[in-house]
Amino acid sequence: MGEPESGRTLTQRSECEHDEDRLDVAIRGGTVYVGSRFVETDVGIRGNRIERVGRIESAREEIDASGCFVIPGLVNVHTHTPMTLLRGLADGFPVRRWFRKEIQPVEERMTAEDVYNGARLAIAEMLLSGTTAFGEMYFEEEAILRAVAESGIRARVGYGMSNEEKTREESEAQFGQAKRFVTHVRDAFTPRVTPMITPHATYTCDDWFLKRAAEVANTLDCPIHIHLSESKEDALDTIERHGIRPVEHLDRVGFWDANAYVAHAVHLDPSEIEILAEEDVGVAHCPGANMKLRSGFCPVSELREAGVSVSLATDGPASNNSLDMLEEMKLATLLSRCRLGTVDVESRTILDMATRVGADILDVEAGRIEPGFRADIAILDGEVSSLVPVNDPVSNIVYSANREAVRTVLVGGDILVSERELVPFDEDEVYDAARKSSQRIADGRELA
């Protein structure tokens, strides 16, 4: 089974040592998403993994899921959690103006404690809306790691970097810091928290830096993640500077030699899609943020038809402004129907993008309710008004489920949301701390 993911030991979980064959948790009576369909069955958990899908005789702890839908936990593969503190700022600007002129100056006032408070708020929002794992790209990474570890959520946390306005010596120093970060995460945290390297974008990292980032990622056997072609400006800048498009440029500098996945991938041409498929590069589709920032439409159908793994993400809560993956599934499905001349992306495919594909891109043994996979599970109350009646469970969940339906959430077999209440954090304290940090940042005040 592997090492425990949480602080609970087998002894703490077990009431009697002689009853070793008894499962730890049984989820009973639910309508369970198994493979690509819903079936009425039970789910049995031992340790941090699903052991059985079928009738369960007994377990130390039982969860009654009668009248509920039991689905794999949702996976948000690309976000910037501390940006909850900036939610609603600079509304209405296109992406490059939004980032450069409105957001970056405010971010410069954020302290490590602010980052921690923002990350906790984001994690609370994600857990309460059924997300069990996420991919993170930001700065003050230690503060984010602290929030992740306290919460029990699963995360791949990136070391954020760029060499914009930096000397070669300052840029090289970042790679030493990145190596220490990756080693620290692997040594100090459970397998529930894993590292990656996250150079920001092609317009904030030069050729040497991008190549070096890929080399370091390979040396560390660590994934690498980057923003790609989020706006037309991103693509045009690369063409102007290098005479080729962004995907081709990253190919030329050796970026795809690393285990890479990208965010957005909005402005692509057919040759770029072909390269992403050949290099096995995953894509994080962020429909809400792309629409809000007027970035354009990711060619999801074309990417999938070429064999590219396309997952789903919210992007940061300053550019979306929500971290609710249930909402993101609806946006992704509707958006696919607005792109004339393309093949619709079916709601069942969107559900898989938000679970199985996302887990695969983050290299997590989850995203499926099958024996052997991590017990990352969301239980949705099928009796809430938005899910009644049930003509098609997948359609209901993708188009009409919302946070009010999320009743229970498990990560690695640990219950982190119980009866719609957050277990790891005091919600009122989290919200109060985030409000104070946000107000201080907006006012430009120093810490007292």
Side-chain angles (χ1 to χ4, degrees), residues 156 182 186 195-197 216-224 258-259:
R156 187 172 283 281
V182 169
R186 288 172 171 168
M196 62 180 170
I197 294 174
V216 169
N218 269 333
T219 299
L220 297 172
D221 191 22
C222 180
I224 193 167
N259 176 16

Side-chain angles (χ1 to χ4, degrees), residues 27 43 45 50 70-73 132 369 375-379 408-411:
I27 301 172
V43 179
I45 299 167
I50 297 166
V70 182
I71 65 172
T132 55
I369 299 183
D376 295 4
I377 295 170
I379 302 176
T408 305
V409 175
L410 299 89
V411 177

